[in-house]
Structure formats: C-alpha cells, structure tokens
Amino acid sequence: MDDISSKDYVIIDNFLREELYFGIKSFFLGKLPNFKEAGIGAHSDNLIDSTVRGDFTYWLDRNRDAHLNSYWNLLDETMHIFNRYCYLSLSGYEFHLAHYPSGGHYDKHLDQFENRNNRMISMIIYLNDDWQPGDGGELEIFEKDGSSLLVEPLAARCVMFKSAEVPHAVLEAHKSRFSLTGWLLYQPSSVGKLFV
C-alpha cells in the first residue's frame, strides 16, 4: 500500500500460490479457442486496430467461471485491503484473460475511458512459465519524471497501479505472452460491463 500510494504502482512477485497459479493457467489454455481480438475504447467507440493493440482476450464472469472461486476470493481480499488502507470505496471489478501472440503489443495508454472513469486500480498477473530476456512482452511503466521502467512478465508476478495516473505500454512479444488483467472499480462490475 505504501508503494502504490507513493509511486502509483507496486510489483509483487509470487503473488499466487502454486496450486492457484497452475489452476488459472490450465483454465487459460483451455479457453484459448474462445479468445477474441481486443479493441480500443468502450462499447460503441470500440475499434479494432492492430497497429495500436495486438492482443486477444476472454472476459471472465464470476458466476459462469465459478471453478475459479479461489481467484475470486483473492480479488475480494485484495479489494478489501485497498478499501481499508487506501479508503478507495471499491465495490466491483472486471477481469479478462489476455494473450499477446508473437508480434503483439499495446501502445502507450491509460486504463481509463474518456466517458467512463470508474477504473481505479489496474491489476495484472502474469502466467508465463520460463520467460527469458529477449522474449519481449515487457510492461513499460512511464514515470512522472519522464523515465520509464520495464517490468518482465514473470510467472505469478502481479503489477498493480492507479488506472488514471500511470501511462504504460506492452512491448512487442516475441512468443506467446499470457496474463490475467483487470480493474478494481468504484461501481460493481455489472455496471462496467455495459461499456466493455
């Protein structure tokens, strides 16, 4: 909480227990045929532009994907901690699985829509076994002083940051890059999904 308050982001390694990590990874691989090309912008403004963004996503639903119950409980706990120590009044979340195939990237952006500002905390959990330097797909976080930080997408690493405050990009992946990505919201996730 101190890091995200002072730097606007935090990086936590080994965020998931091994059993939960492999359960999510197995679920991810099973859903790959159902992934769809991701767009830019909310609902009616959503646009597919692979020159800006080149990932494929599968949106999660707590009721449909109930066998990920341990993961949903972890999100509940994470949201509770933010509310207790940062006084954010978070009340929902929305998450998807993200696959960047080789060549996929995402240009510099903020995780906030122009006409929708309920995303408070962005949260990424990486699912990349045996990631090596040169594999690409690093998260680039742009600091307020003009510098930037590259975050390697290591297995079970979690990155959280203030959605409206931290510009970031995903560098070109040179092999498949997997993550579980989403947002902790002011409103319940059902409100947010009207605009996805």
Side-chain angles (χ1 to χ4, degrees), residues 50-156:
S50 59
T51 65
V52 174
R53 180 177 186 179
D55 61 322
F56 293 76
T57 59
Y58 176 85
W59 285 91
L60 296 173
D61 179 274
R62 185 168 189 157
N63 293 322
R64 182 194 62 212
D65 304 317
H67 49 289
L68 292 178
N69 196 48
S70 293
Y71 169 68
W72 299 121
N73 291 338
L74 177 62
L75 284 184
D76 289 338
E77 181 182 352
T78 302
M79 194 165 60
H80 172 75
I81 290 170
F82 271 109
N83 286 341
R84 180 174 179 183
Y85 293 104
C86 296
Y87 310 105
L88 291 185
S89 300
L90 299 169
S91 57
Y93 41 74
E94 56 188 12
F95 276 81
H96 65 252
L97 305 174
H99 171 217
Y100 285 81
S102 182
H105 73 289
Y106 198 161
D107 288 351
K108 183 179 178 181
H109 65 284
L110 286 172
D111 284 353
Q112 200 69 277
F113 296 120
E114 186 173 333
N115 297 314
R116 176 190 160 201
N117 60 2
N118 66 328
R119 289 178 172 177
M120 295 290 98
I121 302 294
S122 299
M123 184 174 178
I124 306 164
I125 301 172
Y126 295 112
L127 305 170
N128 303 301
D129 300 330
D130 303 318
W131 185 92
Q132 298 295 321
D135 288 343
E138 295 93 342
L139 177 71
E140 184 172 12
I141 294 175
F142 296 90
E143 306 266 16
K144 291 177 180 176
D145 65 4
S147 65
S148 67
L149 170 72
L150 291 183
V151 181
E152 299 170 344
L154 303 178

Side-chain angles (χ1 to χ4, degrees), residues 7-26:
K7 299 192 301 185
D8 295 337
Y9 65 86
V10 63
I11 300 167
I12 306 168
D13 287 335
N14 302 310
F15 186 74
L16 299 177
R17 298 186 318 274
E18 187 173 290
E19 180 183 356
L20 179 55
Y21 174 83
F22 285 113
I24 294 172
K25 181 70 177 283
S26 175

